[in-house]
Amino acid sequence: MRTPLQCVLGFALAGLVLGACSDDDDQPGTLPDVTPSTTSVESTSATPSGDPTAQLEAEITAFYEDYVDTINESWTSEKALERRRTMFADSCIMCLQGYELTTQAHAEGWTLESGLGMIRSVRLDAVDGDVATFLGVEDVASGRLVSSSGEVVEQFGETIGAQIVYRVQKRS
């Protein structure tokens, strides 16, 4: 599944964010009902029928793809930026920092220049009631934020095989 770097750059902003989101003290993000928008992420798996675990894993994969797509869109869309804020920023300090950097980029007129990133896999690791823990594995290409005057404000290095643990809670 290929995604523009902007999709996953939010994760790399503070040295692979969301790892802190796997701590037991952190509250899980909320897994909303997913209605995919136009997405740059291509899913190769169809929603399985019959197996509840496979169905949950497919739902979580769709959520993760939607989350990554929301990060991508948040660099150029205020609406997506606000949606990004609601997905994990209240329960993850690193996610909040990524959101705040993107908000600053909007305010300052910075542009994200980047290569492509890739989501390698999504794996459901545990389910405890309505809380699920999953692992996202991705590659993140290098990129940079550039001011309107052409000055490089921030540079981001390439990350290969980043493993990020998420905790999400299903909304009823």
Side-chain angles (χ1 to χ4, degrees):
M1 295 176 277
R2 294 194 65 79
T3 64
L5 172 66
Q6 299 93 297
C7 293
V8 290
L9 185 58
F11 304 147
L13 295 177
L16 298 186
V17 304
L18 295 181
C21 295
S22 65
D23 294 341
D24 291 336
D25 295 341
D26 292 330
Q27 296 298 314
T30 304
L31 181 63
D33 292 330
V34 176
T35 32
S37 60
T38 306
T39 180
S40 58
V41 179
E42 296 178 23
S43 178
T44 57
S45 60
T47 304
S49 59
D51 180 0
T53 302
Q55 288 176 356
L56 179 59
E57 191 164 39
E59 185 177 352
I60 287 171
T61 298
F63 168 75
Y64 182 59
E65 291 171 350
D66 186 48
Y67 176 61
V68 168
D69 197 40
T70 299
I71 289 173
N72 180 42
E73 293 173 18
S74 73
W75 290 98
T76 57
S77 164
E78 292 285 338
K79 183 177 179 182
L81 180 62
E82 185 52 37
R83 183 158 191 265
R84 177 181 179 175
R85 171 77 172 91
T86 65
M87 293 181 94
F88 277 110
D90 289 335
S91 61
C92 171
I93 292 170
M94 302 301 280
C95 302
L96 179 59
Q97 290 172 345
Y99 163 81
E100 289 173 345
L101 180 62
T102 308
T103 300
Q104 183 178 6
H106 279 264
E108 301 289 334
W110 299 340
T111 303
L112 179 66
E113 297 177 352
S114 63
L116 295 176
M118 180 192 304
I119 297 173
R120 287 189 181 188
S121 64
V122 178
R123 183 187 74 210
L124 177 63
D125 287 336
V127 178
D128 183 14
D130 62 350
V131 176
T133 303
F134 70 94
L135 175 73
V137 180
E138 59 200 48
D139 295 337
V140 181
S142 61
R144 61 190 190 161
L145 283 173
V146 180
S147 72
S148 58
S149 66
E151 177 185 345
V152 175
V153 177
E154 183 107 26
Q155 287 204 227
F156 308 99
E158 177 182 60
T159 304
I160 303 297
Q163 298 183 15
I164 306 165
V165 175
Y166 298 85
R167 289 182 53 203
V168 293
Q169 184 171 24
K170 176 73 175 158
R171 284 189 199 156
S172 52

